[in-house]
Every structure is written in structure tokens, then in C-alpha cells.
Amino acid sequence: MNRSLYKSAISLIFLSGPLAAIGQAVPAATANVTSNVPSYGIQQGGTLNYSLGASETIITGYNGNGGTANSTNIFGRASLVTSNETRPTSLIYSGGYIFSEIPGQPSSTFHNLGLSQVLATKHWNFVLSDLVSYLPSSQTTGISGIAGTGDVGTSATGPVLGQGVLTYYATRIVNTASGSVEGKITSSTAIETSVSYGIQRFINSQGIDNSQYTGTIGPQHRINERNSIGANYTYSRFSYGSNPYTTTSKFDFVAQGGNLTYEHLFSRRLSTNVSIGPQWTRSSNGSSLPSHLSFAANTSLNYLGKLSHAALVYYRGTDAGSGVLLGAVSDDVGLLYQQTLDPNWSVGLSGNYARTSGVLAYNTGKSKSNTFYGGIQLTRKLGHDFAVYGSYNAQNQRINNIAGFQNAFNGLTQIFGFGIIYSPQSIRIGRH
């Protein structure tokens, strides 16, 4: 098994989602960000990283009021990558407790867990993964998804895309299980196929529960060391339970299309991926969702250096609607960046902008949202095992004709966070 595949497997749950959805070729480099905030980009095989921390956040503008509120947070994170090059296992966890004084948002726990398993043979590569989260509100930044907990510039899924419309307090469980198989036809050509199943379930009916099934299959051809091309067919089905929008008790629709893909390595550290093609959306309930043709796109620019990593991603396509809409079309741009400034200082940056429109006949062209969320964090090491940080996050959303009882966030919220983190050096496991 070659090194680039091994590193790609290691990064599966750390830089997955849109970054890996079109067969990203990871450059042969290893991120080694010397910060007390663990870097959950590419991680060396045979290592365990963990950290514990506490923070205080000050929040302005929540629930549409001009006042301020605060919360105290305790949290922990851990990541593990085994050293087996043909069967690497990856695990990442982030969780904690929020002691909240925010109006309308009680104290609560939050949890995120990601697992992946790779099996590589001479002609076949198999990957299984699962990402599950339990969050009190929409995921916005970092591995935790909770602003102010010290992980701006790191993420379990790269820039958070397909999020669409943000909500106020609405505890939800999100789980996505996926599997992929790559079979070599020749030394330069392979067939790749993948399937995934995702659910979003809201506690106390504070959003629209939904499920998504997706399958993709197509050939990939390596032209040379720097260029690869391919094509694939993608089929997705979105399903919903009882809802207030249609005359039937249940509703589902299908989006499918063909895509052309292109991958290019500018250098060992800089790469790009492009996937674009037509997308056909249809439903058995044509009066609610008329069939229509649009286009889908998934592009990324990725940099992985010794002291920094960055990703810029654009996504366009049909999604489940974020628990606010019964299906949506989103244009989404995301940025993720982390940089070590010197042995003691590091900076993290993340940002996302999404324009979302409902797909149902009654709200197409009417129910829209423009959403921005992002943050910046400065971290200072204190000795070998401790660090302090300060962060600023903002969430700004403007909505039009989205039912108020669907809990859609509207307005500007700013979050200032200050905290301390204990994070010892990586622990070597397995072979040395």
C-alpha cells in the first residue's frame, strides 16, 4: 500500500465530507502543527492525541435581543490512528458540557464521534466510516461544532458545508454511515463506488426529521503523477416523516445526476479537485415538488504544509434542508485555515457562506436564507502541556418566508471565547 493512500485513509474522518467526496488525492506530506490545540488534519500513524479544557463565552444578540449572556464550558478531545498500513483504524472524539445562562438554551452536553476502518489489498481498497454527533444547536465551527471551545481552524469534516439554514436551540442527533470500494482495472484506471446513509433527528420536535440515502459509482483514470480524470453517477433519496407542508403524512424526493471529475496536484502540498454535472430532481408528489433540472458542483483547493493547512471549498447541490425546509438547493463556500506563527503562537480561521432556497413548489423562489458563520482564534502555549486562547465567532443569517415555528435563526450573534487547554505530547502506540 503506497504512502499517499495510507495518509488518505488516516485523514478520512479528519478531512472528509466534501473534501473527500470526489476522490481527493492527498499530497505526500504530513501536517505537524506545533500548537497545544491538537491538529486534526493528517496525523501520524501509531499516535494518540488528547486534550482537556475549560472556557468562558460571552454572547451578544442571541434570540434577537440586544443584551448579552454567557456560558461556562468544559470539554475534551481525543484522536487515535493505528500504525497498520494496510488496515489503519482512525478515531476522533470531541465532547463536553455547557453551563448555559443563554435565554432559551438550557445547559447541555455535546458529543461528536468519528470512526473509520480501511482494508487495502493489491487490487482492492475498502473503507468504512461513521460520524455521529449530539449537539444543542447547528454545528458552526471546529470539531466540537460549538463556538468558543478552542478549536477554530480544526474540523472533523473540513469546512462545514451543506449546513444551510442555522437554527436556535434545537437539540439534534446526526449520524452518517458510509462505505466505499475502489477496484483497480489497470495500473492507472479504477472503478470507485460508495454508499452512505444519514439521519437527522430532533429532540422534542424542534425541527424536521430527515434521512438521506446516497450512492455513487464511476471510473477514475490517472493520466500522470499530477493529473486524474473521472466520471460518476450519483443517486440520492431524501425522506421525511410527518410534516406541515404536504397533504400526505410522509414525503420524499430524489436527486440524481452525472458528474465529470478532475484532480490536479500543483505540488506535494497543494492540490485541487473539481466535480461538476447536471442534477435532476423529482418527486412522486409532483404538485409539491415539480421535476426540474439544475446543476451540481463540488470543488476544493487544499494546502497541507509542515506548519499550516488550509482548504477552500465550493459546493452546489440539493440537500435535506437543515431541519428547517423540506429540501433545499444550496450554494456554499467554506474556508478552513490553521497556521503556526512560531513555537509558541498559532492562529486558526474558519468561515462559511451559504445561500439556500427551498425546493417545494409553494416556496421555491420565496423561502430563502443568506447565512454566514465564521471565527478566528489566537493560541499561546504555556510551557509544554498548556495553552491559553482567545476567539471571536460571528453568526449572521437573513431569512425570507421561512415559517417561524421552524426555529430558523434570524439576525446577528457574536461570541467571544477565552479558555485554557491541557494537551500533552502525542503518545506513540503500536510499533515504534
Side-chain angles (χ1 to χ4, degrees), residues 57-71 101-103 147 168 392-396 409-418:
T57 55
I58 301 171
I59 302 167
T60 68
Y62 193 79
N63 267 345
N65 60 58
T68 61
N70 69 286
S71 67
E101 296 184 14
I102 305 170
Y168 290 110
Y392 169 78
N393 289 266
Q395 303 171 22
N396 188 24
F409 172 79
N410 190 25
L412 171 66
T413 290
Q414 301 181 83
I415 304 164
F416 302 86
F418 310 90

Side-chain angles (χ1 to χ4, degrees), residues 26 55 63 82 108 117 184 209 258 260 285 288 300 371 411 413 418:
V26 177
S55 69
N63 267 345
T82 63
S108 62
Q117 177 64 58
K184 293 182 180 179
D209 294 345
L260 297 178
N285 188 339
S288 295
S300 66
T371 305
T413 290
F418 310 90

